[in-house]
Amino acid sequence: MKIRAAIAREKGAPLSLESVDLENPRANEILVKVAATGVCHTDLVVRDGMLPTPLPVVLGHEGAGVVEAVGAAITKVKPGDHVVMTFNSCGACPSCRDHATTYCHEFFPRNFFATRVDGSSGLSKDGESINGNFFGQSSFATHALCHEANVVKVPSDAPLELLGPLACGVQTGAGAVLNALRVLPGKSFAVFGAGSVGLSALMAAVVIGATTIIAVDTKPSRLSVAKTLGATHTIDPTEVNPVEEIMRITGSGLNFALDTTGLPAVIRSAVESLGPRGACGILGASGPDAEIVLNETHFMSGGRRLIGIVEGESNPDIFIPMLIDLYRQGRFPFDKLVKFYSLDEINKAIHASETGEVIKPIVRMT
């Protein structure tokens, strides 16, 4: 079938809107008509050649839409079901068998290689193969092929166009707080970086009942949003030393911290902000040569912990519907982070994300 897709053809260049051919779903695939897709920092990193995803490729990994057709082996969903498409996993490795799919032993090839397991792609144009299956979906397109492992059925009366970011960015931030760090009621929490992931973490800290909630960012506009979402304190590290200010606010240091920037110097500040027995999670993408330097005496003597986190350590089939329920209750207002764009405006949406003009752009496909 013919579909419209935004193709990354050259490193760092704007995406190209083109008409391409999409194969019918194989026995283990699901065809989804995409309603809308969030723009995530990971899409931009891949477009810019910082990860070895082959070009040309259709990116997009925060898709939401309606199932149009399913392969013969599919039992999880049926045509007409509303779904969110999240990260892909193999379902068979030790992590997957332990229901820890965010740490699937094949996470990288299943999500970043942009091919099926057999190396093929369901996308092509005039005989040219276009890499697809990015995060098991390639949802910068009007239609996508996905899999049972990465499709989550959602209520048909939920606002489908809004739900795509729950697949990655929002899930990652909220899950880091609720699943990985397991922030406790009455405790202190700080997030370093107040983008869509950081603000999702902040909202989750509010949900769980943390009483001191600090947002650290260099953009005053984001700190202002953080205040509206429940931050009790905000810190601009260009104006004050964040470690000293956090110590002033908390007295003895943080119970929990989360870095979303991936910057080693910021991670060190987050760890140095911890009180005894405090825990810091890291989830920001860093370059392959990035290293974290910590003061061993400070880190060890207080029983502090540093934890790497992928996709919020969530079980998407359970966690995404839970976030939808919290949103409907008015307790998780992630809609305040978004701005919508049409598919024709996808490069404008990407630019808004890069500049920080918009916290979470969402691209509508129709």
Side-chain angles (χ1 to χ4, degrees):
M1 64 182 295
K2 290 285 186 182
I3 68 169
R4 289 187 77 207
I7 304 174
R9 286 192 172 275
E10 297 180 16
K11 177 181 174 180
L15 305 188
S16 173
L17 279 172
E18 302 179 31
S19 175
V20 299
D21 293 303
L22 180 67
E23 293 179 3
N24 292 327
R26 293 180 175 180
N28 63 344
E29 292 178 332
I30 301 161
L31 174 65
V32 174
K33 182 177 182 181
V34 181
T37 304
V39 175
C40 179
H41 178 69
T42 302
D43 296 309
L44 313 187
V45 168
V46 172
R47 177 207 61 181
D48 292 343
M50 296 174 65
L51 289 169
T53 303
L55 303 181
V57 63
V58 176
L59 302 172
H61 64 285
E62 292 184 342
V66 180
V67 176
E68 278 204 350
V70 299
I74 300 298
T75 59
K76 186 176 182 180
V77 293
K78 64 183 185 305
D81 285 345
H82 288 205
V83 296
V84 167
M85 293 176 283
T86 185
F87 62 90
N88 200 13
S89 55
C90 75
C93 70
S95 290
C96 287
R97 291 198 301 270
D98 286 341
H99 305 289
T101 56
T102 64
Y103 302 117
C104 173
H105 292 204
E106 294 186 19
F107 189 93
F108 201 90
R110 295 274 176 161
N111 290 284
F112 288 98
F113 281 10
T115 65
R116 295 173 168 129
V117 176
D118 66 3
S120 68
S121 172
L123 293 169
S124 62
K125 180 176 182 179
D126 300 328
E128 175 194 23
S129 179
I130 307 294
N131 291 290
N133 202 48
F134 182 69
F135 272 71
Q137 55 184 284
S138 288
S139 54
F140 280 173
T142 55
H143 294 74
L145 291 174
C146 63
H147 316 272
E148 282 195 326
N150 74 312
V151 67
V152 177
K153 186 176 177 180
V154 296
S156 60
D157 59 347
L160 188 59
E161 291 184 336
L162 179 64
L163 303 184
L166 298 178
C168 184
V170 174
Q171 170 175 248
T172 295
V177 167
L178 300 175
N179 304 326
L181 290 174
R182 299 188 179 183
V183 173
L184 298 170
K187 299 298 185 180
S188 58
F189 169 77
V191 62
F192 290 73
S196 62
V197 175
L199 291 173
S200 297
L202 187 150
M203 287 187 285
V206 173
V207 167
I208 207 64
T211 50
T212 300
I213 302 174
I214 304 169
V216 183
D217 201 284
T218 59
K219 291 184 179 294
S221 61
R222 292 189 175 187
L223 294 178
S224 178
V225 173
K227 274 284 192 182
T228 69
L229 295 174
T232 59
H233 303 79
T234 59
I235 297 172
D236 183 340
T238 66
E239 296 182 352
V240 296
N241 181 301
V243 178
E244 293 177 358
E245 185 66 7
I246 287 171
M247 288 299 173
R248 185 192 68 79
I249 293 168
T250 61
S252 59
L254 295 164
N255 301 122
F256 300 95
L258 179 67
D259 174 74
T260 70
T261 71
L263 300 173
V266 179
I267 294 169
R268 177 165 182 149
S269 291
V271 173
E272 290 178 346
S273 300
L274 296 174
R277 298 184 298 121
C280 177
I282 57 173
L283 50 76
S286 302
D289 298 325
E291 295 183 348
I292 302 168
V293 178
L294 302 174
N295 181 284
E296 182 183 1
T297 300
H298 171 267
F299 186 69
M300 176 272 295
S301 62
R304 295 169 177 89
R305 292 175 292 151
L306 183 62
I307 306 165
I309 303 169
V310 175
E311 294 285 355
E313 291 191 3
S314 77
N315 177 338
D317 287 318
I318 296 171
F319 196 62
I320 289 175
M322 186 190 83
L323 293 179
I324 294 171
D325 285 343
L326 288 170
Y327 166 74
R328 287 169 144 179
Q329 295 166 20
R331 300 170 61 197
F332 192 78
F334 74 98
D335 58 319
K336 293 183 179 180
L337 309 181
V338 314
K339 181 177 179 180
F340 288 97
Y341 295 82
S342 69
L343 179 56
D344 290 334
E345 297 174 313
I346 191 167
N347 287 305
K348 182 178 178 182
I350 289 171
H351 179 73
S353 177
E354 288 178 305
T355 61
E357 172 190 340
V358 176
I359 295 172
K360 174 56 70 172
I362 297 179
V363 178
R364 291 187 177 111
M365 295 302 149
T366 56

